[in-house]
Amino acid sequence: MENGAVFPLFYLPPVEYFSRLTQFKPNVLIEKEEHFPKQTYRNRATIYSPDGPLDLTVPVIKGAKNHTKLKDVRISYDFRWQRLHWMSLQGCYRRSAYFEYYESDFALFYEKQFDFLLEYNTQLLELLLRLLKIKMPLQFTETYEAEYPTLTDLRSAMSAKTPSAVEQKPYFQVFEERGGFIKNLSIADLLFNQGPQAINYL
């Protein structure tokens, strides 16, 4: 795989993720054999609320050990997080230009229960690629490799804890008159605000 990259599998990934995907496609490997790292975009996304950035976190069942492989991580339904996420997305983007256009595509992910985080994130990624019109077959790792000498390793490159170093041109955001442009939010922010133009932005 020449000029390829290894990507993590995120929940509603940030804009930077898709900018990089378009840069490396179709030579992209998605990591599914790694141990699940906590407090990352693997189960968290950031959207723009009236009060600024809002984190949405998919709760996972705590294993006896932290060394659970990503593909074995189960989603917790101890509280109704799907309802909370969907109400947050509706509340934040109902006024955006394209929310209604995509609403039915996303609603399914907040109505149906998925057992595993891997399955949930994979199906969401497939939807996002389709909506963005990025044609790219998903290929997954089959073993865990600490290093990939011939590939760009992006598994730790995009962190929920550190601001993105990637430059982003401002685009219209629903609450920008309150808090200014916020870069590198979830791809949902770009899609709901820019619709079919999102791919040109990327």
Side-chain angles (χ1 to χ4, degrees), residues 114-152:
F114 292 76
D115 292 330
F116 292 95
L117 185 65
L118 177 80
E119 175 195 17
Y120 188 60
N121 286 356
T122 299
Q123 289 192 29
L124 254 178
L125 180 57
E126 287 170 343
L127 169 68
L128 291 164
L129 291 171
R130 194 180 88 238
L131 297 181
L132 291 163
K133 298 189 167 49
I134 298 173
K135 290 189 167 59
M136 191 188 80
L138 292 186
Q139 304 175 76
F140 292 90
T141 55
E142 292 177 6
T143 56
Y144 177 76
E145 306 293 337
E147 294 178 4
Y148 283 91
T150 60
L151 298 175
T152 302

Side-chain angles (χ1 to χ4, degrees), residues 17 27 42 66 77 81 142 146 150-151 160 181 202:
Y17 185 95
N27 302 327
R42 284 159 184 83
N66 288 336
Y77 293 96
W81 65 268
E142 292 177 6
T150 60
L151 298 175
F181 176 73
L202 294 172

Side-chain angles (χ1 to χ4, degrees), residues 2 13 16 38 61 63 67 74 92 99 102 124 148 150 184:
E2 288 182 26
E16 178 188 351
K38 292 180 177 172
I61 292 171
H67 298 300
R74 288 180 172 272
C92 294
F99 181 79
Y102 298 122
L124 254 178
Y148 283 91
T150 60
N184 209 35

